[in-house]
Amino acid sequence: CVHTELQLTLAGLGRRSLTITENMTHSEVLVNAYPKLAKICGGWLLHKCSGEGGQRKLIVIPPDPDGYNGQQLKTVSSNGKCTMYVVPLQEQIDTTPLPPDAREFEKMPKAQCTLCSQMVPLQCLPIHIKHCKMEHVDLCASKTVCFALLVHFMFHICLFLLQSSGEILNWISSNVDQNNTFSICVSRNDIFNRGMQQWQRQKKSSPKGRLKVTFLEFLTEMIAEIETRLFIDGVDKKGKNPVYCLNSLDRNYFRSAGEIMAVSLAQGGPPPVFLREWCFQYLCSGDYDSIQVTTSDVTDLEFSLLIEKVNSTDDMSELTDEILSCGYTGKVSADMKSNIIRAIVLHSTMRVVPVLDQLRKGLQLCDLPKVMEMHPDLCLPLFVPGENDDRVDAAFILENCHPVLSDKGSVKYTKEVNVMNFFQNFLQEVEDCGEAEQMTTGKVMQWMTGQRHKPILPSDQKDFNITVKFNHDCDTNHTVCFPTVSACTRTITFPTAHLKTLNEFKNIMGIAMKYGESFDNVYMYLMGKAC
């Protein structure tokens, strides 16, 4: 993580290239390079990476009876060809930033800042220069103050170096407090109201900790409910504005919604890709004066109709009260149409600014507004609908399915291939006409895996797959046998004895999808239809 590397570097604990002689003793191996190790009371051990590329596991390097020595380390490091890591055993190393003249920085290359004449380590210089220019601070007389400014903004270097949406999501994820848990216990019934209540009720833990819920789909369902309950779409389908609802504002629902959005982005949930661009721009800057809004940004039906009426008539006498209620104070006449419409647009959008302010406070949970302001272009696809439809489709599900097939040419193999063909036909039919029946390929994937969105975290994208198994030993004496799913392991098992035709497959999948959302519904259906 760039953020962690910077923190360690400023604390004098960053990467080092050392010259190790064979006669070095345990106390001399690293203490000269890392003076802080001499003060650790709990001891430390060295580790090295195993395997090739990607996220590799660290394995411990066991010390000799007299501790580590130069000869041993030259051997285990292949004569210096691999990187070793220092891991404290009982005590956490102090990562407080050191002053620029500290002993740990003696050999580190430095350069002079032309604005303040301060000699700064090269690793820290880009962000130092950036903030010297931004703040116009003359710090020539005080090296201590200059470095304090650098420390105050040190985490900004990670934001400065981010180059893709994936890196931004990794940065957001690094803010999750892995040592604490934020527990939510909710039912699927009325998830929005109960989810908001339980979210706000947690007093002993912060939503910045790891989210723990009683069912996997919490973030998927809550983001969908937040979009439906708290935002309203325009006719152009290019994003939604917040609903003007003072009750929701008073209950701090929008702040909780912002926190849920931040947690969803940080912990692999669906991104809130439903905001209008002007709303996103305001969340980035918090400055309404720099935002440009037009009639297309009016999503409230009442004001959209009023704009249409103003546009279509020259006699506005019957519209006077409605126009004046929007804050327009000029002459109400046909020659003032543009000014009247502008007033309606401003009234419709400006009245939700307090709502956006509350939403922005919620997003601050993971310092999102800061990264959004620094990298608006990279963050835009996470909040605003684009030209590319990134919804789950049949092809995505099938490409990520990994069937566990029997020996090729066997009877079981033939049945399994037929079931996979049925599954493909079913998904493609849902994709083509499922909307009319309130079924989508995203909901099919949610039923199987717990999420209806494509993975957004780079680590999740790499590891995402759906395992397909087949049960050939099912007893056919009962009338119905559903496919079984394990959302935690993303595994689905098809009973081949009950899926001999495409119609049988579609019927059983339809029933499973319809009644599988509630345990009570499944139980009642099985009691009435199956033995």
Side-chain angles (χ1 to χ4, degrees), residues 127 130-131 156 159-161 369-376:
I127 195 64
K130 179 179 176 64
H131 285 286
H156 281 283
L159 306 185
F160 183 73
L161 297 174
K370 294 176 182 178
V371 71
M372 291 164 66
E373 183 175 10
M374 188 168 289
H375 298 285

Side-chain angles (χ1 to χ4, degrees), residues 7-8 10-11 13 36 92-97 154:
Q7 187 179 30
L8 292 174
L10 293 179
L13 298 167
K36 286 187 177 182
Q92 188 168 355
I93 301 179
D94 179 20
T95 55
T96 303
M154 70 176 185

